[in-house]
Every structure is written in C-alpha cells, then in structure tokens.
C-alpha cells in the first residue's frame, strides 16, 4: 500500500512549523476514463464561498463522458436540483470518506429509474433521496454521465472528497487525484492598505506586478514609501495547470517580513461552516466594485478560518517606521511545488497613522450581539456577523409605493462583508391583509432586483437578510411569464416540450423560486427545471399515450402571483 505524507513547513526564526497528514494514494481511482484536466481547483475563490472540490473537464467540451465510482461504496444520497449541484450522487466508503459527483447529465439506468419513480410519487422534480443500502457500487463502475445540470456553465464533473462524519471537504490532490502541473503561479497586481489597531483597512496604493524570470516577479519600483505606520497587503494571483487555460486558485501562500513569516495559508481542507469567511480572505469591497479577486495577506480579529496558523505575530499587519525599510517577500506555491516569489522593500513617509474616513451612526462590536432600534423596525445582528468592529450608517425613511407609505432602508454599505444573516423586524406596515403575501423587500444586486419575502406573525414581519446595502419595499403584483418554446398542436415529431418561465424579481432564497406544475389530462407530468436558463422541459417517453391531450401549466412566484397556460396537443 502506498502512503503519502504531505508536509507543510513555515520556516520561522525559532524553528519549523509542520502539518502532516497521511492519505492512502491507492484507495481512490480517477472518476473519469480520460486524462484528467481541471477547470477549477480546490478552495479557489468563488462568490461568497470557496470551491469545495475540483472541476474535471470533459474530453471534447460536451456532456456525456462516463463517470466512475472512485472506490467501492454505498450510494448514500441522490440530489436533483434546478440549481446548485444539479444531478448529484454521494457515495460513502469504508475508509470514512464520502465522494461527491455533481452536475451529471444523467444517472446510471438503475438509479435513474428509482429517481423518476420518486419524482412521480411525490409529484416533484426536485429530490433529495437517501436510499440506504439500495445501491452498492464497485470501484470503476459507471454511475452516471458528465453534464451541465444545476449552477454549471459548461460540461464538467464537480468532484469532492469529504469526511463522512463531519462533511468537511478535503483537497482531492492529497489522495493523488491530480493532473500534471509544471506551471508556476502568477502574480498580477498588489494592493497596499493602511491598517488600524482593530483590523480595519483603507486603500493607499495599487501596483502592477511585473514578470522578471520564471518564478520571479518584481514591482516597477522596488522601494515603496507609504503614508502610514501600519500596513496590510493583498495580491491578485492565479495558477494554471498543464493542458488547461483556466485560471485556478493558488494552493499555498506565505508572506515574510525581514525573513520572518508573518502570514500564510494552505488549502488542504475547508469546512462548509467556515466557507463564508472567504469574504474576509479577499478584498470584498474591490470584488463588489470591479469583480477582481485580491487575496488578503493578513487576517482580521474575528476571522477563524482554519487555513491559517492562528498564533501571535501571524496576522500579516506590518508596522513601519519613517525612512526605515522592511524587506517583504510573498511566496506562492501550487500543490506540485512550483513556486513564484515577489520581493520588495517598504517604509513609512509618516510616523503618525492617518485615520480612516469612516462614516456611520451605529457602532457595532464584531464579537457581540447588536440590536439597532428604528421607528417601527428592529435590526438584530448576531455575534460574529463581522470580523472587525464596524461603524455603520443605518437609516430608515418612508416612501409612497403603490399608494401606500412603506419603509426603505439603508443598512450599511454593500461593500462591507457580512458573515451571518441578520433579522429585520417590521411593525405596523400600512397595508391591508390582502396584500401581505405580495409584500417584499427588494435589493438591487448585480443588475438584478432581488426579492426578500419574510414571515408574518400577526402584524409583525420578520425578514432574514444576508447582505448590507439599500432595501426598498415593494408590493409585487406581477405574475410570472410563461413562454412556449416549441409548442404546437401536433407534437408527433417533437421529443420534448419546452417552456421558458421568468419573473420580474429574482428570489433571494431557494425556497422562494418559481414553483410550477404541469399536467396532461389532469395528471402530473415531470417537467425538469434548468434554472440558469429559465427553462422547463418534459421529455416524451415510450409510455406516453398516443392521441389528443390537454396540456396545462401553472407557475407561481411565492408572492401571491400565479400564471397559467393550457393547450390541446396530439402525439402519434
């Protein structure tokens, strides 16, 4: 049996800090038959989360490649979702780990028949099934086909290895499931911030990083002078692998100041519970403004990400003195040991720290529960909602909406990251009971109007919100739109019926998605849902009865609005 010991070392002044873990590299085999090429690496940066697996590219850019069980096991869970992982399988193995196979175009025949029977039994496309010991698989057995279902934007296999007990994802590279890689990580840009005693930062400068030689980078000016006596740094970086053009995340980073490690991370495992701290790992404000991802070379007081070594002197904040240069080196490393390095000197032009310009009317402690009381509204933030103390600008006012005086809110700024949802309680809303189901708070985000629907408790409305920013009350009276794609009376030559279903507002949560029901002659039929394309479709099979039939479709938006459609069709 081959065993591999991964050793990660930070060289420090007093010795070496090591993390070692053994993984059996012969236990799992590849989930695909072709040579593995990746479009996404483990724990790379995604919107509001780390990528919890690896994305394996198809052979030809199309769906259909056979997906194999990587070891003997039992299928413990089957998911069918319009977004997220789409069609996904979970296999529990005897070694205490679970493997996940997501975005499948189809399951194996036996699994597909079981899933379809459950869909018709429950009259629902969406499924989360736990088949117990119904499906036992062998290593190398075909369990499905690569696809593009769920929140996927090109055919690939999203593959994960998790600890079965905790469901914590582990980097598959640790098990030997990795492509070849001879490319060095790449520096693109660097940002310098003034940082204060409680971890807040204020941008001072940004510079482009220049390629010097293989694995070596430099700044146009090697000596940097900044008007601050304490700074923090972030870098825009990526890594690539052999045979793929995709820009992936960087496995390991460490920053040294005067030859002493002051910050670093290594991406071996990240739990789902801590995944939301990605917005502390990056310059969240810059991501909101420009979509660029800068990885922070520092931590905040409330940041508990396990990828860091949490000990004194490792928070990455660098103290400066006027005209005294400090040597800074940032090292990037991929899993295969390819390394890139950026070195420069930095000093202070001013020994007096300037104060960040922060405006607000409510001071919130990052590690305490905070309650903000407004007229006819309360906002409750849980402890740990922020990673530093915050001064937020919070205001409420009333505007006329559809003839009613309804509140609008400014709750901080959308460029400030939030790490737990908060509750907004609204009292005495001046609307009749008949309009309660139509009420929602709307936030403009990424060119979408996102609707937040709350829960009524008599005259009190409670909403859970996940973002800071501006919110406006709305009475949504617009029904969803149903658009036939290929529908006609004679469907004899058509293998599928397609509709596009859309709404004027984007739902804030999974439970508020458009709900739909399709019937043939009054009986439920399976319309599959491709949420990213706003498409639902019914596939005719050999059991569909020949003759003339009545097709009906109803769609509702969970805010009291419903649309319906009906048409006679024939199939011979």
């Amino acid at each position: 049996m081959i065993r591999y010991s991964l050793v990660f070392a930070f060289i420090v002044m007093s010795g070496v800090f090591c993390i070692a873990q053994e993984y059996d590299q012969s236990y799992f085999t590849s989930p695909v038959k072709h040579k593995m090429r990746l479009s996404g690496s483990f724990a790379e940066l995604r919107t509001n989360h780390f990528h919890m697996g690896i994305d394996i590219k198809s052979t030809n850019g199309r769906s259909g490649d056979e997906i194999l069980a990587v070891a003997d096991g039992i299928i413990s869970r089957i998911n069918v979702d319009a977004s997220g992982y789409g069609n996904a399988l979970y296999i529990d193995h005897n070694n205490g780990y679970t493997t996940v196979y997501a975005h499948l175009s189809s399951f194996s025949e036996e699994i597909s028949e079981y899933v379809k029977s459950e869909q018709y039994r429950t009259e629902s496309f969406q499924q989360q099934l736990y088949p117990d010991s119904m499906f036992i698989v062998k290593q190398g057995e075909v369990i499905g086909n690569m696809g593009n279902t769920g929140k996927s934007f090109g055919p690939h296999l999203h593959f994960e290895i998790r600890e079965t007990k905790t469901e914590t994802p582990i980097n598959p590279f640790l098990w030997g499931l990795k492509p070849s890689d001879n490319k060095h990580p790449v520096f693109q840009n660097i940002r310098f911030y003034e940082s204060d005693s409680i971890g807040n930062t204020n941008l001072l400068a940004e510079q482009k990083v220049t390629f010097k030689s293989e694995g070596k980078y430099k700044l146009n000016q090697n000596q940097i002078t900044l008007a601050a006596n304490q700074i923090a740094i972030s870098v825009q970086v990526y890594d690539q692998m052999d045979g793929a053009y995709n820009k992936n995340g960087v496995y390991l980073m460490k920053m040294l100041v005067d030859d002493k490690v002051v910050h670093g991370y290594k991406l071996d495992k990240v739990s789902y519970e801590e995944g939301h701290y990605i917005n502390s790992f990056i310059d969240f404000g810059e991501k909101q403004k420009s979509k660029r991802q800068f990885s922070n070379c520092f931590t905040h007081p409330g940041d508990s990400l396990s990828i860091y070594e949490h000990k004194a002197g490792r928070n990455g904040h660098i103290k400066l003195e006027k005209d005294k240069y400090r040597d800074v080196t940032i090292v990037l490393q991929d899993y295969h040991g390819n390394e890139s390095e950026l070195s420069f000197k930095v000093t202070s032009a001013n020994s007096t720290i300037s104060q960040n310009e922060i405006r607000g009317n409510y001071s919130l402690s990052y590690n305490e529960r905070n309650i903000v009381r407004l007229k006819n509204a309360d906002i409750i933030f849980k402890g740990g909602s922020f990673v530093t103390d915050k001064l937020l600008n919070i205001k409420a006012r009333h505007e006329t909406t559809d003839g009613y005086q309804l509140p609008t809110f400014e709750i901080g700024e959308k460029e400030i990251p939030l790490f737990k949802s908060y509750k907004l309680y609204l009292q005495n809303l001046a609307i009749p009971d008949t309009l309660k189901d139509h009420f929602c708070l709307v936030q403009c985000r990424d060119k979408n109007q996102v609707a937040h629907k709350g829960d009524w408790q008599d005259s009190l409305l409670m909403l859970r919100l996940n973002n800071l920013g501006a919110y406006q009350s709305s009475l949504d009276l617009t029904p969803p739109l149903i658009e036939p794609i290929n529908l006609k009376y004679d469907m004899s030559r058509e293998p599928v019926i397609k509709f596009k279903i859309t709404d004027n507002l984007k739902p804030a949560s999974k439970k508020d998605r458009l709900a739909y029901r399709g019937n043939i002659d009054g009986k439920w039929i399976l319309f599959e849902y491709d949420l990213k394309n706003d498409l639902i479709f019914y596939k005719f099979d050999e059991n569909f009865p020949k003759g003339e039939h009545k097709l009906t479709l109803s769609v509702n938006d969970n805010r009291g609005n419903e649309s319906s459609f009906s048409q006679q069709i024939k199939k011979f």
Side-chain angles (χ1 to χ4, degrees):
M1 181 178 291
I2 301 171
R3 289 196 176 271
Y4 172 81
S5 179
L6 177 74
V7 179
F8 171 55
F10 278 162
I11 300 175
V12 294
M13 296 299 287
S14 58
V16 180
F17 163 69
C18 298
I19 302 173
Q21 175 69 54
E22 287 191 337
Y23 294 93
D24 181 355
Q25 296 218 319
S26 67
Y27 195 89
F28 295 127
T29 56
S30 175
V32 295
K33 294 180 177 178
H34 56 272
K35 182 179 180 180
M36 189 184 294
R37 297 176 301 126
L38 300 189
S39 58
S41 60
F42 179 79
E44 70 182 16
L45 309 181
R46 300 292 174 89
T47 300
N48 293 324
H49 69 283
F50 291 97
H51 186 237
M52 295 304 198
I54 58 175
D55 288 344
I56 302 174
K57 296 166 75 79
S58 69
T59 53
N60 55 10
R62 301 193 193 111
S63 298
D65 291 329
E66 290 183 333
I67 302 303
L68 314 175
V70 298
D72 295 356
I74 296 173
I75 294 179
S76 57
R77 193 195 321 179
I78 305 170
N79 274 16
V80 178
D81 195 342
S83 189
Y85 282 6
N87 296 330
L89 292 175
Y90 298 70
I91 302 178
D92 289 352
H93 306 282
N94 287 333
N95 66 346
Y97 290 86
T98 297
T99 51
V100 183
Y101 312 75
H103 306 306
L104 302 177
S105 62
S106 60
F107 303 119
S108 66
E109 184 176 354
E110 187 180 12
I111 298 171
S112 292
E113 289 176 357
Y114 167 68
V115 170
K116 191 172 183 178
S117 69
E118 288 299 300
Q119 289 172 320
Y120 271 90
R121 184 182 68 82
T122 60
E123 296 189 348
S124 174
F125 163 69
Q126 194 116 334
Q127 296 290 319
Q128 184 165 288
L129 304 171
Y130 299 89
D132 198 16
S133 301
M134 185 180 298
F135 302 106
I136 299 173
V137 296
K138 292 293 185 181
Q139 187 176 68
E141 182 178 336
V142 176
I143 56 174
N145 298 88
M146 186 179 292
N148 189 34
T149 58
K151 195 173 183 180
S152 166
F153 299 96
H156 72 282
L157 172 68
H158 174 84
F159 175 77
E160 296 181 21
I161 300 176
R162 300 181 183 179
E163 296 173 348
T164 302
K165 187 175 181 179
T166 65
E167 289 203 76
T168 298
I170 308 295
N171 191 338
F173 286 7
L174 297 173
W175 296 89
L177 298 177
K178 59 184 185 293
S180 61
D181 182 5
N182 295 289
K183 297 181 179 180
H184 292 258
V186 176
F187 285 94
Q188 292 179 288
N189 294 286
I190 186 169
R191 305 189 114 207
F192 299 94
Y193 312 83
E194 174 191 29
S195 65
D196 62 22
S197 59
I198 59 172
N200 290 310
T201 59
N202 183 45
L203 181 65
L204 296 172
E206 179 181 327
Q207 288 197 29
K208 184 175 179 60
V209 180
T210 304
F211 177 78
K212 184 177 179 182
S213 61
E214 187 173 61
K216 300 292 183 181
Y217 286 81
K218 64 178 183 178
L219 301 180
N220 291 333
Q221 292 182 327
N222 186 52
Q223 295 182 340
I224 310 297
T225 302
L226 299 169
N229 67 9
Q230 180 170 285
I231 64 166
I233 293 171
S234 69
V235 288
Q236 186 183 21
V237 297
Y238 67 87
D239 188 31
Q240 290 182 305
M241 301 179 194
D242 295 349
Y245 61 86
N246 305 80
K247 295 180 178 180
N248 305 127
V250 175
Y251 170 69
L252 179 152
M253 186 276 288
K254 59 182 176 181
M255 183 171 71
L256 299 90
V257 177
D258 300 331
D259 296 323
K260 181 179 180 181
V261 175
V262 298
H263 179 72
Y265 70 80
K266 181 170 67 80
L267 299 175
D268 279 344
K269 63 162 70 173
V270 181
S271 72
Y272 280 94
E273 288 73 19
E274 63 181 344
H276 56 283
Y277 281 107
I278 189 172
N279 292 331
S280 176
F281 181 83
I282 65 171
D283 183 334
F284 181 76
E286 182 61 21
K287 171 70 184 299
Q288 294 296 102
K289 293 173 185 175
S290 70
K291 307 302 180 186
R292 295 187 301 163
Q293 304 254 40
F294 280 81
S295 299
N296 291 332
C297 302
F298 61 94
T299 59
H300 300 89
D303 190 340
S304 59
L305 264 174
S306 61
I307 63 174
Y308 306 130
E309 185 194 13
H310 293 279
K311 61 187 296 185
R314 293 292 179 90
N315 64 13
H317 297 269
I318 305 170
K319 293 186 180 298
L320 301 179
E321 295 180 25
K322 185 177 181 181
D323 298 330
K324 182 179 179 180
Y325 282 97
R326 305 202 70 179
D327 294 312
V328 179
T329 298
I330 302 172
V331 180
L332 308 177
Q333 191 180 97
D334 63 26
Y335 187 85
H336 295 75
N338 301 304
E339 195 170 272
S340 293
E341 182 179 295
L342 169 66
S343 295
F344 55 89
K345 297 177 181 293
V346 63
T347 188
S348 172
N350 190 339
S351 60
T352 302
I353 190 167
S354 59
Q355 296 298 315
N356 296 343
E357 186 180 356
I358 302 174
R359 293 188 297 269
N361 55 357
Y362 286 91
S363 180
L364 308 180
S365 298
Y366 78 88
N367 57 353
E368 296 179 2
R369 184 170 181 257
N370 295 274
I371 301 176
V372 177
R373 300 199 184 279
L374 306 169
K375 184 178 180 181
N376 294 323
D378 290 336
I379 304 172
I380 300 178
F381 294 96
K382 303 173 187 174
S385 293
F386 308 97
V387 290
T388 63
D389 293 346
K390 291 295 179 185
L391 185 62
L392 296 188
N393 188 40
I394 300 177
K395 296 180 180 179
R397 64 181 185 276
H398 280 70
E399 295 180 353
T400 302
T401 302
D402 295 323
Y404 297 92
Q405 282 288 305
L406 297 176
T408 64
F409 296 92
E410 292 179 23
I411 307 175
E413 298 177 350
K414 66 178 182 179
E415 290 80 15
I416 298 174
L418 189 71
F419 300 93
K420 292 183 180 179
S421 64
Y422 61 99
K423 294 180 180 180
L424 172 62
Y425 290 90
L426 302 182
Q427 305 174 46
N428 303 320
L429 286 173
I431 56 173
D433 289 347
T434 55
L435 291 178
K436 282 185 175 181
D437 282 345
H438 297 275
F439 180 87
C440 59
L441 278 187
V442 175
Q443 183 181 39
C444 291
R445 196 163 70 236
D446 295 331
K447 298 181 180 179
N448 292 308
Q449 289 190 306
V450 180
H452 298 261
K453 182 179 171 64
D455 297 314
W456 285 95
Q457 302 167 8
D458 296 324
S459 62
L460 181 69
L461 179 64
M462 189 274 287
L463 299 103
R464 292 182 185 273
L465 304 176
N466 295 302
N467 296 278
L468 302 178
Y471 291 87
Q472 184 174 2
S473 295
S474 175
L475 295 173
D476 180 18
L477 301 172
T478 304
L481 184 62
I482 301 174
E483 300 177 71
I485 302 296
N486 67 334
L487 193 63
K488 51 192 174 184
Y489 171 63
D490 188 354
M491 296 294 290
S492 300
R493 296 179 180 272
E494 298 289 339
V496 64
I497 300 174
K498 297 180 182 178
F499 287 93
K500 187 171 186 178
I501 57 173
T502 55
D503 195 32
N504 59 319
L505 298 174
K506 183 179 178 180
S509 65
K510 184 176 179 177
K511 67 181 180 64
D512 293 329
R513 290 177 189 165
L514 289 178
Y516 63 92
R517 181 184 176 92
N519 288 345
I520 289 287
D521 300 331
K523 293 183 178 180
W524 184 88
I525 56 172
L526 175 59
F527 271 96
E528 300 178 45
Y529 192 7
D530 179 4
L531 181 61
K532 61 179 175 286
N533 293 312
D534 299 319
L535 187 69
I536 61 171
F537 52 94
Y538 168 73
K539 298 175 183 175
F540 291 106
D541 59 29
E542 65 276 3
N543 298 320
F544 189 86
K546 295 180 180 180
E548 187 174 76
H549 305 277
K550 183 178 182 181
L551 167 68
T552 60
L553 176 66
S554 61
V555 181
N556 70 76
D557 63 4
N558 200 32
R559 291 184 299 280
N561 304 302
E562 182 172 321
S563 295
S564 58
F565 177 93
S566 66
Q567 182 172 317
Q568 295 294 123
I569 63 170
K570 70 174 183 177
K571 182 75 171 176
F572 291 101

